[in-house]
Amino acid sequence: MFVEVRSPQGAAIVLPGELAFLLGQGVELGLVRAAALLARREGAEPVAALLRSGLMSEADYYAALARALGRPFRGAGLVLHSDARFPDDIHLGAAIGALGEVFLAPPPGAVAALLATGAPRGAVLTTPAALAGAVLKTAGPRAAARAAEALEVRAPDWAYRPGLHPGQILVLMLGLAAALLILDAAPWLQLAALALVNLTVLAVVVFRLAAPLLRPNPPPNAAPVPEAELPVYTVLVALYRETKVVPRLVRALARLDYPASKLDLKFVIEADDAATAAALAALPLPARFEVVTAPAGLPRTKPRALNVALPLARGEHLVVYDAEDVPDPGQLRAAAALFRAGSDRLACLQGRLVIDNTDDSWLTRCFTLEYAALFDVLLPLLAAAHLPVPLGGTTTHFRTHVLRELHGWDAWNVTEDADLGLRLSLAGYRVGDLPLSTLEEAPARVRPWLRQRTRWMKGFVQTTITHSRHPVRALRRLGPLGLLCAVAMVPGTVVSALAYPFGIALAVWHLTADPLPAGRDLVANLVTATGATVFVAGLGAMGLPALAGCLRRGWWSLAPWVLLLPFYYGLVSAAAWLGLLEWLMAPYRWNKTEHGLSATSRTGAMRGGGIVRAGAPPRRRRPGPGASG
């Protein structure tokens, strides 16, 4: 519906009906016209352009709409009937009040229809934010149950919480029995078993050895999507006790280069986290930001919080960031272009994660190298080869409909990212590489680092259990190479970390006490040869991808720290053992990582000052890693 109005100079101006009515409510023509022009240029809903650009507040607009319809307006304090439905009432923009009144908050695309038909008798206008908050508060227990249980109810084979299936328990028991029998078996059988183990480990590490030599060709540049054709993009950030980084996070997300009318930014906080809520309330949040309060419930995990917000996502695409992240401002446009150029089976894009506080300690230097190996060498190769990709927990861009099709994240898995990456592959989708960076903060001290890595290892155990219930089905869907890759990246990571100290000790013992077999014993020589190969290959798999990632980014000053990685992976081994213990004792506990503690910042992004685009020249004189994608 369009309305023709006259400017003070007598010129005819055609305005959308959902904006034109504002002129009768005392709103200046210049403001209304600016919103209409913005909507036309960005290809957005007129009301979305008006509100999300900050030209008019949501409360003022819906109050004006109420006056135009001759209905009362209530902007806060809504009390709904106990049967409020989540998320249906929010999508509908209407809910029944406790006294029988109808609260209306039409979404931007539905305002024109309401103006044409009029509001029903007894209706009370409110804002979409107030209605969503009231629905979440009233239907909190049901929303919490949906967020925690939807995957398990709809696709139990893809959910962790059913735990080990009887077949898995039987395999574990048979494996343990076989190991005990081998300990008392003939020497030749023991040697044969050890040679088989060595060959298996070699098959797992060969990918990491080959990855630095198999750099994939960069994909052709995807044509930029015209401004008016860009899709609505949802940004989700789950926050819990993050008061130190909230101002930096808001500044970082405010710099995203994307039309404001098509941005749907949601901070998801917990109901009992008053400190983070106060920190957000104290900031002048741009109009495109929204705070969603997840209702109380179990488990207290990031994926549960994301599942609460997923039904509310308005975007065709969706990206998840962490609280400490500083993403490259161009990520959303680049991702939209790659999604448009890719096939429908391209369901996710994994961005590059880069540690910014590299110079805090030896631990952060090794963490930087580890991320360089993973996100600049290994994962791009997996993506190019269409192999399973265990996702990082942040800078993951999705087609929203696919995420909903797969029932969101597993709320009971503490590495929901790796789990979702494997689930995408098993469902026939693939993950692509987004070669733009997000700056992150790494723990600089051993204790918080160990807590974080313990959670990761525990989650890898959970993911292994989830996706090993039907190995034949997995083989059919992933293929032999895909299955080997999945095994190497998830259970292989845990098993190699658990075995690491024993392998080092065994190698040292063989080199010092029993260097080589004296006779022509074929099996003994095979064990020695494969054992030595595993030892050398393991060290190479540890250092070569990190060195390759380091050199690709031009981090020459960081390259010598590769020599420290064998000691760093000793800590990884400790985390694996702690993760295994925690899996048995507290499988759903989420070890919170505190942010905002960095002492150094190569780009300045982790300081209280400005935020710079990834890849900008360092502000510190001391040379360090760059952040270019």
Side-chain angles (χ1 to χ4, degrees), residues 287-370:
R288 55 193 178 275
F289 286 76
E290 178 185 351
V291 178
V292 176
T293 301
L298 293 176
R300 294 294 297 272
T301 60
K302 171 186 170 184
R304 186 192 80 101
L306 294 176
N307 282 341
V308 170
L310 179 59
L312 308 179
R314 295 191 289 264
E316 180 182 333
H317 302 322
L318 178 152
V319 61
V320 176
Y321 291 123
D322 277 346
E324 79 276 19
D325 286 355
V326 179
D328 185 300
Q331 273 192 24
L332 304 193
R333 285 183 184 268
L338 287 171
F339 276 128
R340 172 176 277 203
S343 73
D344 291 341
R345 307 315 291 175
L346 177 63
C348 176
L349 295 168
Q350 173 65 66
R352 310 281 182 91
L353 303 185
V354 178
I355 301 302
D356 189 57
N357 61 323
T358 300
D359 292 331
D360 274 15
S361 68
W362 73 272
L363 203 58
T364 54
R365 289 181 175 90
C366 290
F367 207 134
T368 303
L369 289 169
E370 183 184 21

Side-chain angles (χ1 to χ4, degrees), residues 618-623:
R619 294 183 180 182
R620 305 176 66 234
R621 292 184 179 179
R622 183 176 181 178

Side-chain angles (χ1 to χ4, degrees), residues 21-107:
F21 83 90
L22 292 171
L23 299 177
Q25 302 300 319
V27 180
E28 294 181 358
L29 174 61
L31 186 148
V32 175
R33 187 180 184 188
L37 291 174
L38 181 65
R40 190 179 308 159
R41 184 174 71 249
E42 296 184 349
E45 294 283 353
V47 178
L50 175 76
L51 300 183
R52 292 173 198 162
S53 64
L55 289 172
M56 190 174 187
S57 74
E58 190 178 70
D60 287 344
Y61 178 82
Y62 281 90
L65 180 62
R67 291 193 301 270
L69 293 169
R71 304 308 311 160
F73 173 77
R74 193 179 304 169
L78 308 185
V79 180
L80 303 184
H81 192 277
S82 59
D83 289 337
R85 302 167 302 167
F86 176 86
D88 307 73
D89 288 348
I90 298 174
H91 293 159
L92 184 63
I96 305 299
L99 301 179
E101 67 271 53
V102 178
F103 289 110
L104 290 182

Side-chain angles (χ1 to χ4, degrees), residues 390 418 422 459-461 463-464 485-495:
L422 295 189
F460 275 26
V461 173
T463 301
T464 300
C485 171
V487 169
M489 296 298 292
V490 181
T493 297
V494 178
V495 171

